[in-house]
Amino acid sequence: MSIERTLSIIKPDAVAKGATGEILKRLEAAGLEIIGLKKAQLDETLAQGFYAVHAERPFYGDLVKFMTSGPVVISVLEGEGAIAKYRDLMGPTNSTEAPAGTIRGDFGTDIEKNAVHGSDAPETAKVEIAYFFDASQLVAPSQAL
């Protein structure tokens, strides 16, 4: 496996539950390095742009409304096979199908309020990371003191 980067968003439902610290702890415990981190309140334009790939799907409007309903915590994760590793930690998209011990199984409630977002492929990760972070905002482990 190679070193990869992936985007993580802790969604409004998990932030509202006070789960941010526990989720970040799980990421680090799994060997994922947090190289960029910010808390933000997405406005409609930002959420629409980020989820534009889903614009023609029936759930798009509800997704944008949900993602703008409260603050989110956005991070860039780096590590060996980071994309697959994070997707395993997240669990299935539908939280009702996610096993206990996964982030969605422990903190999500359904397919929409599923606690977290993660990139699904290296190409997607590159685009998603650039959507929220400039290169100057990312501190790779080798750059840390």
Side-chain angles (χ1 to χ4, degrees):
M1 274 192 203
S2 62
I3 300 293
E4 295 177 328
R5 290 181 176 177
T6 189
L7 185 83
S8 167
I9 301 176
I10 302 174
K11 295 182 177 182
D13 57 321
V15 173
K17 289 178 184 176
T20 301
E22 177 59 29
I23 292 170
L24 293 175
K25 181 179 174 183
R26 290 182 187 196
L27 302 178
E28 289 185 320
L32 295 168
E33 181 82 26
I34 299 167
I35 64 167
L37 180 68
K38 64 172 86 174
K39 188 171 188 176
Q41 173 69 52
L42 302 183
D43 64 21
E44 190 172 319
T45 302
L46 200 58
Q48 286 173 335
F50 184 74
Y51 287 106
V53 66
H54 299 303
E56 299 302 319
R57 297 199 173 144
F59 60 83
Y60 176 72
D62 288 338
L63 177 61
V64 169
K65 185 176 179 181
F66 168 61
M67 291 301 293
T68 59
S69 68
V72 297
V73 174
I74 309 164
S75 61
V76 178
L77 311 174
E78 183 176 273
E80 285 282 331
I83 295 167
K85 187 178 286 188
Y86 183 44
R87 294 193 70 76
D88 286 345
L89 290 169
M90 288 191 300
T93 302
N94 188 341
S95 295
T96 63
E97 299 170 0
T102 64
I103 295 169
R104 289 175 171 156
D106 293 346
F107 303 109
T109 55
D110 56 39
I111 197 162
E112 180 181 75
K113 293 179 178 73
N114 63 3
V116 289
H117 165 88
S119 305
D120 62 2
E123 301 78 21
T124 309
K126 187 174 182 177
V127 170
E128 291 182 347
I129 290 167
Y131 193 82
F132 289 110
F133 291 90
D134 292 329
S136 65
Q137 296 173 305
L138 305 178
V139 180
S142 61
Q143 295 170 321
L145 296 176

